[in-house]
Amino acid sequence: QVQLVQSGAEVKKPGASVRLSCKASGYIFITYGVSWLRQAPGQGPEWMGWISAYSGDRQYAQKFLGRMTVTTDISTSTAYMELRSLTSDDTGTYFCARDSGATGLTWGQGTPVIVSS
Amino acid sequence: DIVMTQTPLSLPVTPGEPASISCRSSESLLHTDDGDTYLDWYFQKPGQSPQLLIYTLSYRASGVPDRFSGSGTGTAFTLNISRVEAEDFGLYYCMQRIDFPYTFGQGTKLENK
């Protein structure tokens, strides 16, 4: 079955960067995109960005432009998300999701990220 | 950005009774090229990741019970649960994916009355 297994929890200081991974299995990786989303404590989900595993095309939410990079490694069916210049507002759980234009998002288990001095 | 508005934010329901959640979008989610409406419904329990319930307006995701149904027009949408079961209590979100950035409704908390 479709699985997206994300990397473990991270604790970072303000100003640092974080790089999260998302390993996909159970489907042909290059035939779907991957969206990245996050959820602050007690809040709803927020979409951050997307990458086509086939073409490498990318889309970012305006608020993350210049601070976020999404990539994929087709050889290992893994997607990566790097977020730079972290602040306490970036504390939350980060999700990757298989993104099918036709059939919605299938989410990974999430990676907690804490930004604290 | 497309604004998604969900109502109600809290919905107390007795198990066995029906439930209905509404969602509105600030722009039409009907894609004129393919005729599909790009509105999904997700369900989330505390400490878990959201799971897909309904995609593209009215299609149930794999494994989703048939007591869940989605309907609507280009800007007004409804998630119906015919008979609420104990496992259905939690948060429900609508999300549009006709255009980037994808945007979510505020969420509706389905609670045991």
Side-chain angles (χ1 to χ4, degrees):
Chain A
Q1 76 280 22
V2 174
Q3 269 197 308
L4 295 103
V5 178
Q6 299 186 232
S7 47
E10 301 269 6
V11 179
K12 296 291 182 181
K13 293 196 182 303
S17 299
V18 69
R19 187 177 189 239
L20 309 181
S21 68
C22 168
K23 184 168 176 60
S25 63
Y27 70 97
I28 300 172
F29 185 67
I30 61 168
T31 60
Y32 291 82
V34 176
S35 271
W36 287 89
L37 310 97
R38 74 179 185 181
Q39 192 167 26
Q43 303 297 311
E46 175 183 31
W47 180 86
M48 301 175 68
W50 166 89
I51 182 168
S52 165
Y54 175 73
S55 66
D57 287 347
R58 297 166 174 83
Q59 294 283 340
Y60 297 104
Q62 182 70 32
K63 69 184 289 186
F64 299 109
L65 271 175
R67 198 163 74 91
M68 174 182 172
T69 303
V70 292
T71 57
T72 58
D73 182 341
I74 294 173
S75 68
T76 60
S77 299
T78 302
Y80 298 91
M81 190 281 293
E82 181 182 45
L83 190 63
R84 300 175 290 277
S85 302
L86 294 169
T87 71
S88 57
D89 290 342
D90 295 314
T91 292
T93 300
Y94 288 71
F95 298 97
C96 63
R98 186 187 77 164
D99 188 339
S100 163
T103 57
L105 304 182
T106 302
W107 302 57
Q109 87 276 17
T111 296
V113 174
I114 296 173
V115 183
S116 174
S117 54
Chain B
D1 298 358
I2 296 175
V3 177
M4 305 297 292
T5 304
Q6 265 181 258
T7 55
L9 299 184
S10 176
L11 183 57
V13 176
T14 300
E17 294 298 306
S20 182
I21 300 170
S22 295
C23 175
R24 288 188 173 271
S25 58
S26 61
E27 299 174 28
S28 176
L29 304 187
L30 173 63
H31 198 292
T32 52
D33 288 352
D34 59 20
D36 283 332
T37 299
Y38 287 89
L39 185 281
D40 302 334
W41 291 95
Y42 295 88
F43 172 64
Q44 187 176 32
K45 281 192 170 291
Q48 297 183 12
S49 55
Q51 62 183 78
L52 179 65
L53 287 176
I54 303 288
Y55 64 92
T56 318
L57 185 64
S58 60
Y59 297 91
R60 273 188 303 276
S62 176
V64 174
D66 62 7
R67 64 180 180 272
F68 290 92
S69 63
S71 62
T73 62
T75 59
F77 316 100
T78 304
L79 175 70
N80 286 301
I81 310 173
S82 59
R83 290 176 309 280
V84 172
E85 298 192 4
E87 65 196 34
D88 301 337
F89 295 114
L91 277 163
Y92 291 81
Y93 295 98
C94 59
M95 186 198 85
Q96 67 80 20
R97 54 183 174 86
I98 194 171
D99 199 10
F100 295 117
Y102 299 163
T103 47
F104 291 83
Q106 308 95 308
T108 295
K109 188 173 184 180
L110 187 68
E111 302 175 294
N112 194 336
K113 193 172 186 179

Coordinates of all heavy atoms in Angstrom, one line a residue, chain A residues 11-83:
Chain A
V11 N 15.0 19.4 16.6 CA 15.0 20.6 17.5 C 16.0 21.6 17.0 O 17.2 21.2 16.8 CB 15.3 20.3 19.0 CG1 15.3 21.5 19.8 CG2 14.2 19.3 19.5
K12 N 15.7 22.8 16.7 CA 16.6 23.7 16.1 C 16.6 25.1 16.8 O 15.6 25.4 17.4 CB 16.2 24.0 14.6 CG 16.3 22.8 13.7 CD 17.7 22.4 13.5 CE 17.9 21.2 12.6 NZ 19.3 20.8 12.4
K13 N 17.7 25.8 16.7 CA 17.7 27.1 17.3 C 17.3 28.1 16.2 O 17.4 27.9 15.0 CB 19.2 27.4 17.7 CG 19.6 26.6 18.9 CD 20.8 27.1 19.5 CE 21.3 26.3 20.7 NZ 20.3 26.1 21.7
P14 N 16.8 29.3 16.7 CA 16.4 30.3 15.7 C 17.5 30.7 14.8 O 18.7 30.8 15.2 CB 16.0 31.5 16.6 CG 15.6 30.8 17.9 CD 16.4 29.6 18.1
G15 N 17.2 30.9 13.5 CA 18.2 31.2 12.5 C 18.8 30.0 11.8 O 19.4 30.1 10.8
A16 N 18.6 28.8 12.4 CA 19.1 27.6 11.8 C 18.2 27.2 10.6 O 17.2 27.7 10.3 CB 19.2 26.5 12.8
S17 N 18.7 26.1 9.9 CA 17.9 25.5 8.9 C 17.6 24.0 9.3 O 18.2 23.4 10.1 CB 18.8 25.4 7.6 OG 19.1 26.7 7.1
V18 N 16.5 23.5 8.6 CA 16.1 22.1 8.9 C 15.9 21.5 7.5 O 15.4 22.1 6.6 CB 14.9 22.0 9.8 CG1 13.6 22.5 9.1 CG2 14.7 20.6 10.2
R19 N 16.3 20.2 7.4 CA 16.1 19.4 6.1 C 15.3 18.2 6.5 O 15.9 17.4 7.3 CB 17.4 19.1 5.4 CG 17.2 18.5 4.1 CD 18.5 18.3 3.4 NE 18.4 17.9 2.0 CZ 18.9 16.7 1.5 NH1 19.6 15.9 2.3 NH2 18.8 16.4 0.2
L20 N 14.1 18.0 6.0 CA 13.3 16.8 6.3 C 13.2 15.9 5.1 O 13.3 16.4 3.9 CB 11.9 17.3 6.7 CG 11.8 18.4 7.8 CD1 10.3 18.7 8.0 CD2 12.5 17.9 9.0
S21 N 13.1 14.6 5.4 CA 13.0 13.7 4.3 C 11.7 12.9 4.3 O 11.0 12.9 5.4 CB 14.1 12.7 4.3 OG 14.1 11.8 5.4
C22 N 11.3 12.4 3.2 CA 10.0 11.7 3.1 C 10.2 10.6 2.0 O 10.3 10.8 0.8 CB 9.0 12.7 2.6 SG 7.4 12.1 2.0
K23 N 10.3 9.3 2.5 CA 10.5 8.2 1.6 C 9.2 7.5 1.2 O 8.4 7.1 2.1 CB 11.4 7.2 2.3 CG 11.8 6.0 1.4 CD 12.9 5.2 1.9 CE 13.2 4.0 1.0 NZ 13.6 4.4 -0.4
A24 N 9.0 7.4 0.0 CA 7.7 6.9 -0.6 C 7.9 5.4 -1.0 O 9.0 5.0 -1.4 CB 7.3 7.7 -1.8
S25 N 6.8 4.7 -0.8 CA 6.8 3.3 -1.3 C 5.3 2.9 -1.6 O 4.4 3.6 -1.2 CB 7.3 2.4 -0.2 OG 6.5 2.4 1.0
G26 N 5.2 1.8 -2.4 CA 3.9 1.4 -2.7 C 3.3 2.0 -4.0 O 2.1 1.7 -4.3
Y27 N 4.0 2.8 -4.6 CA 3.5 3.4 -5.9 C 4.8 3.8 -6.7 O 5.9 3.9 -6.2 CB 2.6 4.6 -5.6 CG 3.2 5.8 -5.1 CD1 3.6 6.9 -5.9 CD2 3.4 6.0 -3.7 CE1 4.1 8.1 -5.4 CE2 4.0 7.1 -3.2 CZ 4.4 8.2 -4.1 OH 4.9 9.3 -3.6
I28 N 4.5 4.2 -8.0 CA 5.6 4.6 -8.9 C 5.8 6.1 -8.6 O 5.0 7.0 -8.9 CB 5.2 4.4 -10.3 CG1 5.0 2.9 -10.6 CG2 6.3 4.9 -11.3 CD1 4.4 2.5 -11.9
F29 N 7.0 6.4 -8.0 CA 7.3 7.7 -7.4 C 7.1 8.8 -8.4 O 6.6 9.8 -8.2 CB 8.7 7.6 -6.8 CG 9.1 8.9 -6.1 CD1 8.5 9.3 -4.9 CD2 10.1 9.7 -6.6 CE1 8.8 10.4 -4.2 CE2 10.5 10.8 -5.9 CZ 9.9 11.2 -4.7
I30 N 7.7 8.6 -9.7 CA 7.7 9.6 -10.6 C 6.4 10.0 -11.3 O 6.3 10.9 -12.0 CB 8.8 9.4 -11.7 CG1 8.4 8.1 -12.5 CG2 10.2 9.3 -11.2 CD1 9.2 8.0 -13.8
T31 N 5.4 9.2 -11.0 CA 4.1 9.5 -11.6 C 3.2 10.4 -10.7 O 2.1 10.7 -11.1 CB 3.3 8.2 -11.8 OG1 3.1 7.5 -10.6 CG2 4.1 7.3 -12.8
Y32 N 3.7 10.8 -9.6 CA 3.0 11.7 -8.7 C 3.9 12.9 -8.3 O 5.1 12.9 -8.4 CB 2.5 11.0 -7.4 CG 1.5 10.0 -7.7 CD1 1.8 8.7 -8.1 CD2 0.1 10.2 -7.5 CE1 0.9 7.7 -8.3 CE2 -0.8 9.3 -7.7 CZ -0.5 8.0 -8.1 OH -1.4 7.1 -8.3
G33 N 3.2 13.9 -7.8 CA 3.9 15.0 -7.1 C 4.0 14.8 -5.6 O 3.4 13.8 -5.1
V34 N 4.7 15.6 -4.9 CA 4.8 15.6 -3.5 C 4.5 17.0 -3.0 O 5.2 18.0 -3.4 CB 6.1 15.1 -3.0 CG1 6.2 15.2 -1.5 CG2 6.4 13.7 -3.4
S35 N 3.5 17.2 -2.1 CA 3.3 18.4 -1.5 C 3.8 18.4 0.0 O 3.9 17.3 0.6 CB 1.8 18.7 -1.4 OG 1.3 19.4 -2.5
W36 N 4.3 19.5 0.4 CA 4.7 19.7 1.8 C 3.7 20.6 2.5 O 3.3 21.7 2.0 CB 6.1 20.2 1.9 CG 7.1 19.2 1.5 CD1 7.6 18.9 0.2 CD2 7.8 18.3 2.4 NE1 8.5 17.9 0.3 CE2 8.7 17.5 1.6 CE3 7.8 18.0 3.7 CZ2 9.5 16.5 2.1 CZ3 8.6 17.0 4.3 CH2 9.4 16.3 3.5
L37 N 3.3 20.3 3.7 CA 2.4 21.0 4.5 C 2.9 21.1 5.9 O 3.7 20.3 6.3 CB 1.0 20.4 4.4 CG 0.4 20.1 3.0 CD1 0.7 18.6 2.7 CD2 -1.0 20.4 2.9
R38 N 2.3 22.0 6.7 CA 2.7 22.0 8.1 C 1.5 22.4 8.9 O 0.5 22.9 8.4 CB 3.8 23.0 8.4 CG 3.5 24.5 8.3 CD 4.7 25.3 8.6 NE 4.3 26.7 8.7 CZ 5.2 27.7 8.9 NH1 6.5 27.4 9.1 NH2 4.8 29.0 9.0
Q39 N 1.6 22.1 10.2 CA 0.5 22.4 11.1 C 1.1 22.8 12.4 O 1.8 22.1 13.1 CB -0.4 21.1 11.3 CG -1.7 21.3 12.0 CD -2.6 20.1 11.9 OE1 -2.1 18.9 11.7 NE2 -3.9 20.3 12.0
A40 N 0.8 24.1 12.8 CA 1.2 24.7 14.0 C 0.4 24.1 15.2 O -0.8 23.6 14.9 CB 1.1 26.2 14.0
P41 N 0.9 24.0 16.4 CA 0.1 23.5 17.5 C -1.3 24.1 17.6 O -1.4 25.3 17.6 CB 1.0 23.8 18.7 CG 2.4 23.9 18.2 CD 2.2 24.5 16.8
G42 N -2.3 23.3 17.6 CA -3.7 23.7 17.7 C -4.3 24.4 16.5 O -5.4 24.9 16.6
Q43 N -3.6 24.4 15.4 CA -4.0 25.1 14.2 C -4.4 24.1 13.1 O -4.0 22.9 13.2 CB -3.0 26.1 13.7 CG -2.6 27.1 14.7 CD -3.7 28.0 15.1 OE1 -4.4 28.6 14.3 NE2 -3.9 28.2 16.4
G44 N -4.9 24.6 12.0 CA -5.2 23.7 10.9 C -4.0 23.6 10.0 O -3.0 24.3 10.2
P45 N -4.1 22.7 9.0 CA -2.9 22.5 8.1 C -2.7 23.7 7.2 O -3.7 24.5 6.9 CB -3.4 21.3 7.2 CG -4.5 20.7 8.0 CD -5.2 21.8 8.7
E46 N -1.5 23.9 6.8 CA -1.1 25.0 5.9 C -0.2 24.4 4.8 O 0.8 23.7 5.1 CB -0.3 26.0 6.7 CG 0.3 27.2 5.8 CD 1.1 28.1 6.6 OE1 1.7 27.7 7.6 OE2 1.2 29.3 6.3
W47 N -0.6 24.6 3.5 CA 0.2 24.1 2.4 C 1.4 25.0 2.2 O 1.3 26.3 2.2 CB -0.7 24.1 1.2 CG 0.0 23.6 -0.1 CD1 0.1 22.3 -0.5 CD2 0.7 24.4 -1.1 NE1 0.8 22.2 -1.6 CE2 1.2 23.5 -2.0 CE3 0.9 25.7 -1.2 CZ2 1.9 23.9 -3.2 CZ3 1.6 26.2 -2.4 CH2 2.1 25.3 -3.3
M48 N 2.6 24.4 2.0 CA 3.8 25.1 1.8 C 4.4 25.1 0.4 O 4.9 26.1 -0.1 CB 4.9 24.5 2.8 CG 4.5 24.5 4.2 SD 5.8 23.7 5.2 CE 7.2 24.8 5.0
G49 N 4.3 23.9 -0.2 CA 4.9 23.8 -1.5 C 4.7 22.5 -2.2 O 4.2 21.6 -1.5
W50 N 5.1 22.4 -3.4 CA 4.9 21.1 -4.2 C 6.0 21.0 -5.2 O 6.6 21.9 -5.7 CB 3.6 21.3 -4.9 CG 3.3 20.3 -6.0 CD1 2.7 19.1 -5.9 CD2 3.6 20.5 -7.4 NE1 2.6 18.5 -7.2 CE2 3.1 19.3 -8.1 CE3 4.2 21.5 -8.2 CZ2 3.2 19.2 -9.5 CZ3 4.3 21.3 -9.5 CH2 3.8 20.2 -10.2
I51 N 6.3 19.7 -5.5 CA 7.3 19.4 -6.5 C 6.7 18.2 -7.3 O 6.2 17.2 -6.8 CB 8.7 19.0 -6.0 CG1 9.7 18.8 -7.1 CG2 8.6 17.9 -4.9 CD1 11.1 18.7 -6.6
S52 N 6.9 18.3 -8.6 CA 6.6 17.1 -9.5 C 7.8 16.2 -9.5 O 8.9 16.6 -9.9 CB 6.3 17.6 -10.9 OG 6.4 16.5 -11.8
A53 N 7.6 15.0 -9.1 CA 8.7 14.0 -9.1 C 9.1 13.6 -10.5 O 10.2 13.2 -10.8 CB 8.3 12.7 -8.4
Y54 N 8.2 13.9 -11.5 CA 8.5 13.6 -12.9 C 9.4 14.7 -13.6 O 10.4 14.4 -14.1 CB 7.2 13.4 -13.7 CG 7.4 13.2 -15.1 CD1 7.9 12.0 -15.6 CD2 7.1 14.2 -16.1 CE1 8.1 11.8 -17.0 CE2 7.3 14.0 -17.4 CZ 7.8 12.8 -17.9 OH 7.9 12.6 -19.2
S55 N 8.9 15.9 -13.4 CA 9.6 17.0 -14.2 C 10.5 17.9 -13.3 O 11.3 18.6 -13.8 CB 8.5 17.9 -14.8 OG 7.8 18.6 -13.8
G56 N 10.3 17.8 -12.0 CA 11.0 18.7 -11.1 C 10.4 20.1 -11.0 O 11.0 20.9 -10.2
D57 N 9.3 20.3 -11.6 CA 8.6 21.6 -11.5 C 8.3 21.8 -10.0 O 7.9 20.9 -9.3 CB 7.4 21.7 -12.3 CG 7.6 21.8 -13.8 OD1 8.8 22.1 -14.2 OD2 6.7 21.6 -14.6
R58 N 8.3 23.1 -9.6 CA 8.1 23.4 -8.2 C 7.1 24.5 -8.1 O 7.0 25.4 -8.9 CB 9.4 23.8 -7.5 CG 10.4 22.7 -7.4 CD 11.8 23.3 -7.0 NE 12.8 22.3 -6.8 CZ 13.6 21.8 -7.7 NH1 13.4 22.2 -9.0 NH2 14.5 20.9 -7.4
Q59 N 6.3 24.5 -7.0 CA 5.5 25.7 -6.6 C 5.7 25.9 -5.1 O 5.8 24.9 -4.3 CB 4.0 25.3 -6.9 CG 3.7 25.2 -8.3 CD 3.6 26.5 -9.0 OE1 3.4 27.6 -8.4 NE2 3.7 26.5 -10.4
Y60 N 5.7 27.2 -4.7 CA 5.9 27.5 -3.3 C 4.8 28.5 -2.9 O 4.4 29.4 -3.7 CB 7.2 28.1 -3.0 CG 8.4 27.2 -3.3 CD1 9.2 27.4 -4.4 CD2 8.7 26.2 -2.4 CE1 10.3 26.6 -4.7 CE2 9.8 25.4 -2.6 CZ 10.6 25.6 -3.7 OH 11.7 24.8 -4.0
A61 N 4.3 28.4 -1.7 CA 3.5 29.4 -1.1 C 4.3 30.7 -1.0 O 5.5 30.7 -0.7 CB 2.9 29.0 0.2
Q62 N 3.6 31.8 -1.2 CA 4.4 33.1 -1.3 C 5.2 33.3 0.0 O 6.3 33.8 -0.1 CB 3.3 34.2 -1.4 CG 3.9 35.6 -1.5 CD 4.7 35.9 -2.8 OE1 4.3 35.3 -3.8 NE2 5.7 36.7 -2.8
K63 N 4.6 32.9 1.1 CA 5.3 33.2 2.4 C 6.6 32.5 2.6 O 7.4 32.8 3.4 CB 4.4 33.0 3.6 CG 4.0 31.6 3.8 CD 3.0 31.5 5.0 CE 3.6 31.8 6.3 NZ 2.6 31.5 7.4
F64 N 6.8 31.4 1.8 CA 8.0 30.6 1.9 C 9.0 30.8 0.8 O 10.1 30.2 0.8 CB 7.6 29.1 2.0 CG 6.7 28.8 3.2 CD1 5.4 28.5 3.0 CD2 7.2 28.8 4.5 CE1 4.6 28.2 4.1 CE2 6.4 28.6 5.6 CZ 5.1 28.3 5.4
L65 N 8.6 31.6 -0.2 CA 9.5 31.9 -1.3 C 10.8 32.4 -0.8 O 10.9 33.3 0.0 CB 8.9 32.9 -2.3 CG 8.0 32.3 -3.4 CD1 7.4 33.5 -4.1 CD2 8.8 31.4 -4.3
G66 N 11.9 31.8 -1.3 CA 13.3 32.2 -0.9 C 13.8 31.6 0.4 O 15.0 31.7 0.7
R67 N 12.9 31.0 1.1 CA 13.3 30.4 2.4 C 13.1 28.9 2.4 O 13.6 28.2 3.3 CB 12.4 31.0 3.5 CG 13.0 30.8 4.9 CD 12.3 31.8 5.9 NE 10.9 31.4 6.2 CZ 10.6 30.7 7.2 NH1 11.5 30.2 8.0 NH2 9.3 30.5 7.5
M68 N 12.5 28.3 1.4 CA 12.2 26.9 1.3 C 12.7 26.3 0.0 O 12.5 27.0 -1.0 CB 10.7 26.7 1.5 CG 10.1 25.4 1.3 SD 8.4 25.4 1.4 CE 8.0 23.7 1.0
T69 N 13.2 25.1 0.0 CA 13.5 24.4 -1.2 C 13.0 22.9 -1.1 O 13.2 22.3 -0.1 CB 15.0 24.4 -1.4 OG1 15.5 25.7 -1.4 CG2 15.4 23.7 -2.7
V70 N 12.3 22.5 -2.1 CA 11.9 21.1 -2.2 C 12.6 20.4 -3.3 O 12.9 21.0 -4.4 CB 10.4 21.0 -2.4 CG1 9.6 21.5 -1.1 CG2 9.9 21.7 -3.6
T71 N 13.1 19.2 -3.1 CA 13.8 18.4 -4.0 C 13.3 16.9 -4.0 O 12.6 16.6 -3.0 CB 15.3 18.4 -3.8 OG1 15.6 18.0 -2.4 CG2 15.9 19.8 -3.9
T72 N 13.7 16.2 -4.9 CA 13.5 14.7 -4.9 C 14.7 14.0 -5.3 O 15.5 14.5 -6.1 CB 12.3 14.3 -5.8 OG1 12.6 14.7 -7.2 CG2 11.0 14.9 -5.4
D73 N 14.8 12.8 -4.9 CA 15.8 11.8 -5.3 C 15.1 10.6 -5.9 O 14.6 9.8 -5.1 CB 16.8 11.4 -4.2 CG 17.9 10.5 -4.6 OD1 17.7 9.8 -5.7 OD2 18.8 10.3 -3.8
I74 N 15.0 10.6 -7.2 CA 14.2 9.5 -7.8 C 14.8 8.1 -7.6 O 14.1 7.2 -7.4 CB 14.1 9.8 -9.3 CG1 13.3 11.1 -9.6 CG2 13.4 8.6 -10.1 CD1 13.3 11.5 -11.0
S75 N 16.1 8.1 -7.4 CA 16.8 6.7 -7.3 C 16.3 6.1 -5.9 O 16.4 4.9 -5.8 CB 18.3 6.9 -7.3 OG 18.8 7.6 -6.2
T76 N 16.0 6.9 -5.0 CA 15.5 6.3 -3.7 C 14.1 6.7 -3.3 O 13.6 6.4 -2.2 CB 16.4 6.9 -2.5 OG1 16.3 8.3 -2.5 CG2 17.9 6.5 -2.7
S77 N 13.4 7.2 -4.3 CA 11.9 7.6 -4.1 C 11.7 8.4 -2.8 O 10.8 8.2 -2.0 CB 11.1 6.3 -4.0 OG 11.1 5.6 -5.2
T78 N 12.6 9.4 -2.7 CA 12.6 10.2 -1.5 C 12.5 11.7 -1.9 O 13.1 12.2 -2.8 CB 13.9 10.0 -0.7 OG1 14.0 8.6 -0.3 CG2 13.8 10.8 0.6
A79 N 11.6 12.4 -1.1 CA 11.5 13.8 -1.3 C 12.1 14.5 -0.1 O 12.1 14.0 1.0 CB 10.0 14.2 -1.4
Y80 N 12.6 15.7 -0.3 CA 13.2 16.5 0.8 C 12.7 17.9 0.8 O 12.3 18.5 -0.3 CB 14.8 16.6 0.5 CG 15.5 15.3 0.5 CD1 15.6 14.5 -0.6 CD2 15.9 14.7 1.7 CE1 16.3 13.3 -0.6 CE2 16.6 13.5 1.7 CZ 16.7 12.8 0.6 OH 17.4 11.6 0.6
M81 N 12.6 18.5 2.0 CA 12.2 19.9 2.2 C 13.2 20.5 3.1 O 13.4 20.1 4.2 CB 10.8 19.9 2.7 CG 10.2 21.3 2.7 SD 10.7 22.4 4.1 CE 10.0 21.5 5.5
E82 N 13.8 21.6 2.6 CA 14.6 22.4 3.5 C 14.0 23.8 3.8 O 13.5 24.4 2.9 CB 16.0 22.7 2.8 CG 17.0 23.5 3.7 CD 18.3 23.7 3.0 OE1 18.3 24.1 1.9 OE2 19.3 23.6 3.7
L83 N 14.0 24.1 5.0 CA 13.5 25.4 5.5 C 14.6 26.2 6.2 O 15.1 25.6 7.1 CB 12.2 25.3 6.3 CG 11.4 26.5 6.6 CD1 10.8 27.2 5.3 CD2 10.3 26.2 7.6

